Amino acid sequence: MLSAAIAEYMNLELPRAATSTDITKLVLEALRRYGTQLVIIDDIHFLDVSVKDGRLANDHLKHLANFCAATFVYTGVEVLNSGLFLEGGHKERATQTAGRFTHFELRRFGIDTLAAAREWATVVKSMEEALGLFKHKPGTLDWEYLHDRTGGSINSLSILIREAALDAVATGSERITKKIMNEIVLPRASEESYRNKRRRRRTAPTDRQARPKPADAEAASIRDEREAPADSGAPAKQALQQGGRVLAWGGHHRGWTR
């Protein structure tokens, strides 16, 4: 049962004779008591609302959202094609979910404009600052190389930096290098994207008058901002600290940004 799973996650002690209604009440009381502000339901595309059990689970989630002050965020793949917004094709119930939630489509990070490249560089910078490696110098991770390797996928970027950091600790180097990252195998989509990009670069004509990509033309500017000292001025610092991308979809007053 969904409430029981939430109760277990929250480490709640449940009476042996507790009914499903009792457990739901305990969960709602705990959410209020702990001041829970955000409830994230991942992999929502696995919720099959075309069958009875799926519709019951969906109704239960709506019940929890109705009786607590937390923001509910559902994340999933191809949500619009999952039937969730149409309650499994039941037209008379279609507005129940579609009327509560707003859909936001997440895309991979790009670097084809200055604003997009700065945003990607900011993500790389924030991950790099979280590293606990003794010999790693902040600002040495090449955000362009990392975008080539990951295709702009935040998941692949996380895997690459985490695995590289573990290798750096295991080998005693205590710093991330391109040599270490080149040996790490990423998810298939990112590896395929990287191979295709390298193949296109090898076969591209060497025309000196070829127009560079926006990110290539502006890379030096972003790199200068990353390497600038802390007191070099507010504009560059603000550019690297900007955020605000919507990460998931929620409804009503619901939504999640970082």
Side-chain angles (χ1 to χ4, degrees), residues 6-258:
I6 297 176
E8 181 179 2
Y9 177 81
M10 300 179 72
N11 198 28
L12 301 179
E13 293 187 7
L14 302 178
R16 289 186 177 180
T19 65
S20 58
T21 301
D22 295 333
I23 296 174
T24 298
K25 288 182 178 179
L26 289 173
V27 167
L28 289 173
E29 289 173 1
L31 291 173
R32 288 191 290 266
R33 184 168 63 252
Y34 297 148
T36 304
Q37 299 181 16
L38 187 66
V39 176
I40 304 172
I41 308 295
D42 196 11
D43 290 331
I44 197 65
H45 53 277
F46 289 130
L47 182 61
D48 186 359
V49 290
S50 66
V51 298
K52 181 180 178 181
D53 288 344
R55 290 193 294 273
L56 289 174
N58 190 33
D59 287 344
H60 191 68
L61 285 172
K62 288 185 287 187
H63 175 78
L64 293 176
N66 283 339
F67 290 94
C68 75
T71 296
F72 274 64
V73 175
Y74 297 170
T75 65
V77 179
E78 296 291 340
V79 175
L80 290 179
N81 297 326
S82 70
L84 182 64
F85 279 118
L86 295 178
E87 302 265 357
H90 289 253
K91 296 181 179 179
E92 66 275 10
R93 292 163 55 96
T95 57
Q96 286 290 307
T97 298
R100 290 167 179 249
F101 288 86
T102 302
H103 176 263
F104 295 96
E105 183 177 355
L106 302 182
R107 302 178 183 274
R108 290 178 175 234
F109 285 88
I111 57 171
D112 54 339
T113 66
L114 178 58
R118 279 177 173 162
E119 186 176 35
W120 174 254
T122 302
V123 173
V124 173
K125 179 174 180 287
S126 64
M127 288 190 175
E128 187 175 29
E129 289 176 345
L131 293 173
L133 300 175
F134 295 124
K135 298 181 182 180
H136 186 85
K137 181 181 177 182
T140 56
L141 289 184
D142 186 342
W143 58 267
E144 291 178 279
Y145 164 79
L146 291 174
H147 192 275
D148 284 348
R149 282 296 314 274
T150 65
S153 167
I154 190 68
N155 179 57
S156 293
L157 177 66
S158 177
I159 293 173
L160 182 56
I161 293 180
R162 181 176 66 250
E163 293 296 325
L166 290 173
D167 285 353
V169 172
T171 60
S173 66
E174 289 291 336
R175 61 174 174 266
I176 295 178
T177 64
K178 188 175 292 187
K179 179 180 179 181
I180 291 177
M181 292 189 288
N182 282 337
E183 296 175 352
I184 295 173
V185 179
L186 295 178
R188 181 179 179 278
S190 294
E191 291 292 347
E192 187 72 18
S193 173
Y194 185 47
R195 284 194 295 270
N196 290 338
K197 186 170 292 187
R198 294 183 65 186
R199 189 180 302 114
R200 287 194 300 269
R201 286 176 178 172
R202 286 196 300 267
T203 59
T206 57
D207 185 357
R208 294 184 178 181
Q209 296 181 350
R211 297 180 62 183
K213 296 182 300 182
D216 293 336
E218 295 154 347
S221 172
I222 299 174
R223 189 175 295 108
D224 289 343
E225 291 175 359
R226 279 178 55 100
E227 298 174 352
D231 59 351
S232 63
K237 184 175 182 180
Q238 291 174 356
L240 290 176
Q241 291 179 344
Q242 63 183 358
R245 170 178 291 245
V246 177
L247 290 185
W249 54 279
H252 241 0
H253 55 287
R254 299 169 173 78
W256 180 28
T257 60
R258 63 161 171 76

